[in-house]
Amino acid sequence: MRSDEIKAHFSRAPNRALLRSLGVTDREMDLPFIGIANAYNTIVPGHTHLRQLGEKVKEGIAAAGGVPFEFGTIGICDGIAMGHEGMRSSLPSRENIADSIELMVDAHRFDGIACVGTCDKIVPGMLMAAARCNIPAIVLTGGAMLSGYQGGKDLSLIDIFEGVGRVAAGTMSEDALCDLERCAMPGCGSCQGLYTANTMACMTEAMGMSLSGCAAIPAVDAAKIRIARETGEAIVRLVKDGTTPRSIITRESLHNAIRVDMALGGSTNTVLHLMAIAREADVPLSLEDFNAIADQVPHICFMQPSGPHSMQALYRAGGIPAVLNRLLKHLDDTPTVDGTTIRQIAAAARVHDETIIQSTDHPVSDAGGLKILKGSLAPDGAVVKCAAVPKDVWRHAGPARVFDGEPSAMRAILAREIREGDVLVLRYEGPRGGPGMPEMLSPTSALNGFGYKRVVLVTDGRFSGGTRGPCIGHVAPEAAAGGPIAFVRNGDIIEVDLYAKSIDLRVDAQEIAQRKKGWKPITKPLKGVLDRYARTVEQANLGAVQR
């Protein structure tokens, strides 16, 4: 066992003495040592219940013949960080989480690792660490919050963000918004729709790194407690079998995850995270893989924020196993932490509500939920959640309204300075220029709150999984790296065609060359984490990983 490096041989007597001070018994010295990386904290709603789940994982590990050791990781709530400078810390936290788990695993020579987490950057960071360390690993995702409720309508956090726009537009009172905010978020768990947190839980299950059925179980459901116990038991089996993450996280299993992503119409952030996980697992994956799969796999679940269905509805309809059942003919047969293959899981599953998980013959849309766009504005690619874009805006050409950062764009939106047909360009918000590639949920929600129908947003930053509408992010190269987005001027025509997967700046090459003369990127005074991040981060089309 790997842990023998800290407990076997007389030379390890000092190490054993420290282990004994923790209460480790003579019998346990001969058992596998299992680390539990738990993102529990009391500032993130998706994490406040993870202490209980961690205890059940411990029980499962002990019952199966292992010795559990729990430690913490950080976690940032994107919703609380949204709309101010704190959002720049969100994506960099993914690297911090991966690094901290790697350090704990390497220092303490664990035989296996169980990762307990929820929310946007936490689960991706855990998967990155699992692939990097490549000791037996499993992930328990914490589950979604129940829907809020008011006046006969299910609510989610996005109702509040869009309510801000309605108040600014004068169509909702501040008192009504305050009433709404009291009803929208009824307890623990990740935000209710298919936003990034829940999309990544689904991706984790689809790639085989969490137990079957885990992703869609609500945070407060007793089934989540039971699967936590089973997760603890499973990691001991994985250690005894010698099953490592890189035997599960393969090109084929990542393709399965992308297939599920397309079927669900998930968050654009999954492109960043799956690329980063592939990088850690030494698996070749490119943006072209996403488009190729989108052309093959239809969008079959009309999930929030694009549609009406919450994660709770998906759970009742059969969860990810039922989605896999619909996609059976498309799936590669890959191993999972269950000890069965993904096609075996898919074949055994049943769809309990066909209005929520539709058939591939009668989909929500023939096209997968995400598209990668390329063209003169984004030579290295950009990402759009086409599932959330009305078909009458799939082709659009309009004049650019250029903003060097989200705050100035937000001021213009709230001042009603935007016109229908405009293409808002929010630049210097990329991985390097942001830095941290902040999400743009506040401006997109404000636009929806105002009722705009034909305003396109284009940014080298990111969009929240809660975003809906014609919003194109991850433009690469970013403005700070000298990408074409840096040279757009007010009034330039930008043409978007989701059918053709293109995004073009209608300015001739000679004019762009003139604009480049003497150009210097806008820089910001930075220190600490963000300074290191800005100096070492790669572009969005490579997963925004640090070199």
Side-chain angles (χ1 to χ4, degrees):
M1 289 186 293
R2 189 171 184 264
S3 59
D4 284 346
E5 295 178 42
I6 61 169
K7 63 187 182 182
H9 197 257
F10 74 86
S11 63
R12 294 305 181 203
N15 310 65
R16 289 195 300 272
L18 290 165
L19 291 167
R20 291 183 194 283
S21 77
L22 301 173
V24 177
T25 66
D26 286 341
R27 182 185 68 85
E28 289 175 322
M29 289 291 183
D30 296 325
L31 301 178
F33 280 12
I34 311 296
I36 303 172
N38 194 333
Y40 163 78
N41 61 56
T42 59
I43 184 62
V44 182
H47 295 183
T48 57
H49 64 304
L50 296 185
R51 176 180 283 174
Q52 180 188 26
L53 296 185
E55 290 299 319
K56 297 305 290 188
V57 173
K58 287 182 191 175
E59 288 180 17
I61 290 170
V67 186
F69 298 91
E70 188 172 17
F71 61 90
T73 68
I74 67 166
I76 288 174
C77 177
D78 282 13
I80 295 173
M82 194 72 67
H84 56 86
E85 287 298 303
M87 175 43 66
R88 304 188 189 284
S89 297
S90 176
L91 186 57
S93 75
R94 184 188 71 181
E95 319 306 304
N96 180 289
I97 291 160
D99 290 348
S100 66
I101 294 174
E102 177 192 6
L103 292 170
M104 290 295 287
V105 165
D106 281 352
H108 299 103
R109 315 313 288 168
F110 293 126
D111 298 300
I113 185 81
C115 297
V116 182
T118 314
C119 298
D120 301 45
K121 310 307 166 299
I122 293 82
V123 172
M126 289 176 166
L127 287 165
M128 290 166 67
R132 187 186 301 173
C133 297
N134 202 35
I135 64 169
I138 193 169
V139 178
L140 172 70
T141 51
M145 189 184 297
L146 298 180
S147 295
Y149 183 82
Q150 185 189 60
K153 179 189 175 186
D154 286 342
L155 301 175
S156 75
L157 182 63
I158 305 309
D159 292 288
I160 311 304
F161 273 100
E162 294 187 0
V164 172
R166 289 196 288 273
V167 170
T171 59
M172 175 184 255
S173 70
E174 289 190 44
D175 287 343
L177 179 60
C178 190
D179 288 341
L180 193 67
E181 77 180 62
R182 290 191 174 100
C183 301
M185 311 297 284
C188 67
S190 50
C191 299
Q192 301 96 328
L194 193 69
Y195 315 140
T196 307
N198 292 322
T199 307
M200 281 310 304
C202 296
M203 298 301 92
T204 304
E205 184 177 334
M207 74 176 72
M209 283 298 292
S210 62
L211 292 180
S212 178
C214 181
I217 301 171
V220 297
D221 197 300
K224 186 62 75 175
I225 299 173
R226 294 194 294 272
I227 206 165
R229 165 74 181 231
E230 292 166 353
T231 296
E233 296 171 355
I235 184 57
V236 177
R237 171 179 51 77
L238 291 167
V239 168
K240 291 177 178 177
D241 292 345
T243 303
T244 59
R246 293 194 189 188
S247 65
I248 293 174
I249 303 174
T250 62
R251 181 174 173 83
E252 291 75 22
S253 73
L254 288 171
H255 279 191
N256 283 340
I258 296 170
R259 289 172 182 125
V260 170
D261 201 5
M262 296 301 172
L264 294 172
S267 165
T268 52
N269 285 313
T270 57
V271 178
L272 281 178
H273 298 323
L274 292 176
M275 294 286 287
I277 293 162
R279 179 81 165 264
E280 296 290 358
D282 289 330
V283 171
L285 192 71
S286 70
L287 295 184
E288 285 69 29
D289 290 297
F290 288 83
N291 266 347
I293 291 171
D295 289 340
Q296 300 165 0
V297 177
H299 176 209
I300 61 172
C301 299
F302 206 18
M303 302 289 294
Q304 296 173 350
S306 311
H309 302 310
S310 66
M311 284 298 292
Q312 187 176 1
L314 180 65
Y315 173 59
R316 290 171 176 166
I320 295 304
V323 175
L324 292 169
N325 177 269
R326 290 295 204 207
L327 302 180
L328 184 56
K329 67 182 180 182
H330 297 285
L331 298 175
D332 290 312
D333 204 18
T334 55
T336 73
V337 293
D338 282 85
T340 57
T341 70
I342 204 76
R343 285 181 62 86
Q344 287 172 327
I345 292 169
R350 295 292 178 269
V351 176
H352 302 304
D353 189 335
E354 297 191 352
T355 66
I356 294 169
I357 304 174
Q358 298 177 208
S359 73
T360 55
D361 293 329
H362 298 91
V364 177
S365 172
D366 291 333
L370 299 176
K371 285 184 184 290
I372 307 299
L373 311 181
K374 288 192 175 183
S376 59
L377 186 61
D380 293 336
V383 184
V384 63
K385 186 198 295 186
C386 55
V389 181
K391 285 293 177 67
D392 62 352
V393 203
W394 273 43
R395 287 193 180 100
H396 181 83
R401 292 291 307 279
V402 182
F403 301 94
D404 291 333
E406 178 187 3
S408 58
M410 193 65 181
R411 288 192 294 270
I413 293 167
L414 294 179
R416 300 302 296 267
E417 295 173 1
I418 306 304
R419 298 177 180 177
E420 286 283 15
D422 283 349
V423 178
L424 274 59
V425 177
L426 282 64
R427 64 189 179 193
Y428 290 100
E429 296 289 16
R432 185 192 306 176
M437 212 178 174
E439 293 181 342
M440 306 290 163
L441 182 58
S442 294
T444 61
S445 296
L447 287 169
N448 280 311
F450 275 122
Y452 286 102
K453 302 297 183 185
R454 297 189 63 80
V455 172
V456 175
L457 264 71
V458 178
T459 182
D460 51 10
R462 298 182 294 127
F463 291 112
S464 163
T467 295
R468 59 190 179 94
C471 303
I472 299 163
H474 308 195
V475 169
E478 64 176 299
I485 192 172
F487 307 106
V488 182
R489 292 182 179 174
N490 283 323
D492 289 347
I493 299 301
I494 294 175
E495 186 173 350
V496 175
D497 188 335
L498 301 194
Y499 295 101
K501 306 185 185 83
S502 64
I503 178 167
D504 290 296
L505 175 62
R506 293 306 182 197
V507 177
D508 66 58
Q510 285 186 330
E511 171 63 20
I512 295 296
Q514 281 294 116
R515 295 179 186 182
K516 287 183 178 181
K517 290 181 179 178
W519 170 83
K520 292 182 180 179
I522 294 173
T523 58
K524 301 170 183 174
L526 299 172
K527 61 182 179 179
V529 171
L530 292 182
D531 179 50
R532 293 194 300 273
Y533 186 82
R535 286 187 281 108
T536 59
V537 70
E538 293 188 344
Q539 291 296 286
N541 61 303
L542 300 175
V545 297
Q546 287 183 274
R547 296 186 292 273

